[in-house]
Amino acid sequence: MRSPVLRLTWHLARSSGRRGLQSQLLAAGAAAVGAFVLLVMIAACAGSGTRADRTAWRSPEPARDGTAVQALATTYVRHEPLTVVSLAQLPGRPSTPAPPGLAAFPRQGEMYVSPALAKLLDRLPAQQLADRFPQVREYGTIGAAGLASPDELVAVVGRDPADPALSEAAAAGASWFDEDQAARAVVAGFSSGKVSLFTAPDRAMALLGVVLLGMPVVVLAAAAGRLGAARREQRLAALRLAGATPRQILAMTALEAAAVGAAGALTGALAYLALLPVLARVPYGIGSWYTAELWVGLPCLGAVVAAVTVLITVSAVSMLRQVATSPLGVAQQADPRRTRWIRAAVFVAAMACVFRSTGGGELKPRQLLGLLVLFYGAFWLFGPWVVDRLGRIVGRFARRPATLLAARRLSDDPRGAWRTVSGLVLAGFAAGFFSVSQIGADAAQYRDQIAVITESGAQARHTAAEARAALARSGVTATVTVAGEDEFGNLLAGSPGLIVRIFGGSGGTERLDTAVTALTPLARVHAPYTRDYATAYERASIDRIGEVSTATLALSFLVATASAGLTAAANVLDRRRVYGLLRLAGTPLRVLDRARARETVLPLVVLAGGTTAMGVYGSYQLNKAVGATIDATGALQLAACVVVGALAMVAAIGAGRPLLRRVTADPARTTD
């Protein structure tokens, strides 16, 4: 005999009316948001690895039977890194294969540039950029295979093997700051090498965002399943009383939730596909993306859709256990379960373990990931305890009925209130700390300075006169000072050479670029460099963490907004009997609505707002200790993200007001 479960499930879903359709659409929307956010973060993580691999060919890998000389150098224009790869074919050796993105190995006098650099060369005056390179009739173009981003600035220059730029003196070590920005070796090809400094931390930071967003997406899926379960409560109860078995009730719930979840997750996946070109324009690290870098592949796409569907199904089934096992099928009433002090004790122990482990030296990536999971888990355990105490404190000092009701709800269900804002708590701390951080990379004493390395102090004194003349011809006002080899407090950091200080006039960036270009012919071996070069190694990681933290906070607000809206709607449906009794007792509707809103706003402001403020304050104190300043741009981005995200959450909660009005329209019937 065929089971009637499938046919009956379809019939009940189709005949559930407008309110049932709204519930299903909301659940599907939550699934779509969850799948979309997961796919975006996974794409960023995988794409970061792909773009990093595309930069490995630029770092010379020594070969025993080398056929060409390769040198890596880095200069800066408009404070953006410009990677210069110099190549020369050794005479009497087999031909060297072409580097990735080039049609052929560059001959002497040929120059290939990335499309972004070609546009910059056309836009900027020659004295600010083009004069740094050999004069050529036309530039070749580096293809996408040799670039990590469409916005990346890269130049490949064909030179003579005896050119000073390819000498052993051009290798890393001429300057204290050369690490991963300058290198030289005899090579046989470009199949291996070390990834670029400017793409190396991208994947690890993107993985951090995936970990931080994983739990909020799970919470969103649980809220979607709960909303669908509450709407099906009464009709499943009737079927249970009519003779349906608990297994059939659970099977019907699972089928409907799986169908809604799969439809929503698939919609989110389709939205990800449709928005790939738009997502590729979002800058990260060195710039925007090639669209193909953000494609996760069909297996991963299917796995995300299946995972979100399973999460919603499990959530829906678990929320209907009492309905399936109780003949009356009543909704689960408020059952306050106080959180215990053991949560706080475990949190303190976990934090002590984290701080002790991070203070013992450099850790491996797996160890860092494990500590991050422990940190997240400790907060997840500690959060409900804080919400419970918050509800008790607010309830004790409440002066308005709405605040008192909200406080009682927080202490009755601290886990539910915590789940809504949990993602924002951790993301807020990370974003608050790293988005305004300038730790270890401000180097204010190097502002408007240029360092020119020479082979000796005697050559530095001779070059000083040439530098003053070159700067005067370029119209740049500056002072030129010869630094000794035993001086470590300047931009040369102990190397012999010149310190050029730019001052006066307007357009500081243009004057700095003009001065670097004018000094380039005088620095035959090592290109002149500025503060950007000196702080590149530290800023490469700090900036990525700041970008990922802010992006994670923005996506957390997106997930939390959807979760808050769904949770608010689910709570209205779950508590309709309580709301009906309060209305019969004379409680105005506006008081119930305010209590419902404050139930989410209170933990949002206290917990998420508090951790964000703690992050900003901690960053400020550390910056102050090392003499750095707050990153004003990062602070503005953080403030805009917090304001827009908070307004979106309030709007999502307010969207449940019509549902509350409908549920309490007939209080006597609601309480029956």
Side-chain angles (χ1 to χ4, degrees):
M1 182 177 178
R2 296 180 59 185
S3 173
V5 171
L6 182 60
R7 185 172 53 186
L8 187 56
T9 301
W10 167 248
H11 173 73
L12 291 176
R14 187 177 56 180
S15 60
S16 59
R18 186 175 65 178
R19 296 177 66 180
L21 178 61
Q22 290 173 347
S23 173
Q24 293 166 358
L25 290 177
L26 285 173
V33 172
F36 177 79
V37 170
L38 278 181
L39 286 171
V40 169
M41 295 306 299
I42 293 173
C45 186
S48 297
T50 301
R51 74 187 332 191
D53 292 340
R54 288 185 175 181
T55 65
W57 67 271
R58 303 168 197 168
S59 298
E61 189 73 14
R64 180 177 301 178
D65 300 322
T67 59
V69 182
Q70 178 183 358
L72 170 69
T74 307
T75 185
Y76 287 78
V77 57
R78 295 295 188 268
H79 300 295
E80 295 295 328
L82 195 168
T83 302
V84 181
V85 180
S86 298
L87 294 171
Q89 175 70 39
L90 291 175
R93 305 287 179 89
S95 298
T96 307
L102 274 67
F105 189 90
R107 294 177 294 181
Q108 181 180 349
E110 292 182 340
M111 181 173 170
Y112 293 81
V113 298
S114 62
L117 180 56
K119 294 179 181 178
L120 201 60
L121 287 167
D122 291 337
R123 181 162 55 90
L124 296 182
Q127 64 176 0
Q128 293 184 18
L129 179 58
D131 289 347
R132 303 183 193 183
F133 303 105
Q135 298 296 323
V136 296
R137 293 183 178 180
E138 61 179 354
Y139 300 109
T141 302
I142 302 176
L147 301 174
S149 166
D151 301 328
E152 196 177 18
L153 305 179
V154 181
V156 178
V157 183
R159 300 183 186 271
D160 184 89
D163 193 294
L166 292 171
S167 64
E168 293 185 3
S175 167
W176 176 268
F177 311 108
D178 283 346
E179 186 175 3
D180 294 335
Q181 296 191 87
R184 183 262 185 195
V186 177
V187 301
F190 307 94
S191 58
S192 62
K194 187 177 182 180
V195 300
S196 170
L197 165 68
F198 308 106
T199 59
D202 290 0
R203 186 170 187 176
M205 296 303 103
L207 183 60
L208 171 65
V210 172
V211 173
L212 290 177
L213 278 172
M215 190 55 68
V217 171
V218 172
V219 172
L220 177 61
R226 181 182 180 184
L227 178 64
R231 298 297 298 165
R232 293 184 292 267
E233 194 174 275
Q234 292 181 348
R235 70 185 186 204
L236 291 177
L239 289 173
R240 180 73 178 93
L241 291 172
T245 65
R247 180 178 298 180
Q248 290 174 330
I249 293 297
L250 294 177
M252 292 173 61
T253 302
L255 283 173
E256 184 175 351
V260 172
L266 187 59
T267 301
L270 293 176
Y272 156 76
L273 288 174
L275 293 176
L276 266 180
V278 178
L279 294 173
R281 297 180 184 177
V282 178
Y284 174 55
I286 57 175
S288 58
W289 307 74
Y290 290 106
T291 304
E293 292 174 344
L294 294 179
W295 169 236
V296 298
L298 287 177
C300 183
L301 194 74
V304 169
V305 171
V308 173
T309 302
V310 169
L311 284 173
I312 290 181
T313 304
V314 171
S315 175
V317 170
S318 63
M319 289 304 301
L320 282 182
R321 284 189 176 275
Q322 185 176 356
V323 178
T325 57
S326 172
L328 297 179
V330 292
Q332 185 177 358
Q333 299 298 316
D335 183 17
R337 290 176 294 176
R338 300 298 186 189
T339 55
R340 300 181 180 181
W341 283 93
I342 187 64
R343 290 175 176 265
V346 172
F347 175 79
V348 172
M351 291 299 99
C353 178
V354 170
F355 288 123
R356 183 176 181 180
S357 300
T358 54
E362 187 174 352
L363 299 175
K364 298 180 180 179
R366 291 185 179 180
Q367 293 174 318
L368 290 174
L369 183 60
L371 289 176
L372 180 61
V373 172
L374 177 62
F375 183 76
Y376 204 132
F379 261 100
W380 187 261
L381 187 68
F382 185 58
W385 184 86
V386 177
V387 174
D388 190 1
R389 269 59 190 176
L390 174 65
R392 297 186 191 186
I393 294 173
V394 173
R396 182 175 301 175
F397 297 100
R399 294 294 179 266
R400 296 179 181 276
T403 305
L404 183 61
L405 286 173
R408 177 58 187 272
R409 293 302 180 194
L410 290 178
S411 59
D412 282 351
D413 186 18
R415 296 171 183 82
W418 163 252
R419 285 194 296 265
T420 303
V421 300
S422 59
L424 295 174
V425 171
L426 294 180
F429 180 82
F433 186 89
F434 291 107
S435 62
V436 300
S437 178
Q438 294 273 19
I439 299 174
D442 184 63
Q445 69 272 23
Y446 301 148
R447 190 184 304 275
D448 295 329
Q449 291 187 22
I450 304 172
V452 181
I453 294 179
T454 58
E455 295 180 1
S456 63
Q459 185 181 3
R461 289 187 290 273
H462 174 72
T463 307
E466 297 180 351
R468 296 186 183 96
L471 292 169
R473 288 193 300 270
S474 299
V476 177
T477 304
T479 60
V480 180
T481 305
V482 177
E485 297 184 23
D486 56 347
E487 298 180 20
F488 292 91
N490 54 40
L491 198 56
L492 288 168
S495 299
L498 311 175
I499 295 294
V500 179
R501 292 178 174 85
I502 311 297
F503 61 90
S506 59
T509 301
E510 290 78 5
R511 288 184 289 110
L512 197 65
D513 289 338
T514 301
V516 170
T517 305
L519 295 170
T520 297
L522 306 180
R524 298 174 178 84
V525 175
H526 196 289
Y529 60 89
T530 62
R531 179 181 63 167
D532 296 319
Y533 190 92
T535 60
Y537 192 84
E538 294 169 328
R539 289 252 51 104
S541 297
I542 299 259
D543 288 347
R544 296 304 180 277
I545 295 177
E547 291 174 3
V548 169
S549 299
T550 304
T552 301
L553 182 62
L555 290 175
S556 294
F557 265 117
L558 174 64
V559 175
T561 298
S563 181
L566 287 173
T567 301
N571 288 340
V572 169
L573 297 173
D574 288 343
R575 300 169 184 168
R576 58 186 178 274
R577 183 173 182 273
V578 176
Y579 284 135
L581 290 172
L582 289 172
R583 287 298 306 277
L584 286 175
T587 307
L589 181 63
R590 65 177 181 274
V591 173
L592 298 179
D593 187 49
R594 291 173 182 173
R596 186 179 61 87
R598 292 173 188 178
E599 185 180 345
T600 301
V601 172
L602 281 175
L604 174 67
V605 173
V606 174
L607 296 178
T611 54
T612 303
M614 286 172 55
V616 173
Y617 179 76
S619 179
Y620 169 75
Q621 291 297 328
L622 287 177
N623 285 340
K624 184 179 178 180
V626 298
T629 58
I630 288 291
D631 185 354
T633 302
L636 290 176
Q637 292 176 350
L638 175 65
C641 180
V642 169
V643 171
V644 173
L647 291 177
M649 287 198 67
V650 172
I653 298 170
R657 189 177 297 113
L659 180 61
L660 176 64
R661 186 180 298 112
R662 288 197 300 269
V663 165
T664 58
D666 188 358
R669 182 179 178 182
T670 301
T671 58
D672 188 3

